[in-house]
Amino acid sequence: MTTLGWVGIIAGVLVLAIILWYISTANTLIRKKNNIEEAFSTMDVQMKERYDLVPNLVETVKGYMKHEKDTLTGVIDCRNKALSATTMEEKAKAEGELSSIVSRLLALTENYPDLKANTNFLDLQNQLTNIEAKIANSRKYYNACVKDFNNLVMLFPSSIVARRKGYKKEVFFEISEAERKNVKVQF
């Protein structure tokens, strides 16, 4: 075999390797993007459970907390805002506000011993606590999926394929400034 033949074979193998790498990287990006969508969907289902639970919690609390009307109204307003959010950014912001005001509502209940002894309220509070834990775990999983995807989009050489396919960095689901603050319980 001539030198030209060997060069042709090596070039063919090299081109085939590049094509296989490109296909593999493109498929990996698709899988990571699908993981993000699945993680968000799971988190969205759990947030919907919370949205459904919040009105029950508010109704239970209403009778005990007549002068806390602003907080109760704020909880429902935040819930409705979160439900109507369409983009990831809107949903993340609305979720932060809802988490913050629900925490305030639960902190306010400390001023009402009869409410704290109410079995319906205790059951709703336990359900809410469980849902909040599930949402926190879902956020962690979602953010881990986003990190993996963003690494592929940003790191060389996979960034070449990502750019050609039109992939851009995804947004992390972060807590709001309101959620970062400690909830004050006053007696």
Side-chain angles (χ1 to χ4, degrees), residues 77-90:
D77 289 346
C78 284
R79 172 199 178 262
N80 293 339
K81 190 175 174 183
L83 267 173
S84 64
T86 54
T87 67
M88 183 60 208
E89 291 82 10
E90 288 174 1

Side-chain angles (χ1 to χ4, degrees), residues 132-163:
E132 291 293 335
K134 288 178 186 177
I135 291 171
N137 286 332
S138 293
R139 283 179 179 178
K140 282 189 234 176
Y141 176 66
Y142 173 83
N143 284 339
C145 291
V146 167
K147 180 191 76 163
D148 289 345
F149 179 78
N150 286 350
N151 283 342
L152 283 173
V153 168
M154 296 172 69
L155 293 173
F156 183 81
S158 58
S159 62
I160 297 168
V161 178
R163 201 171 318 120

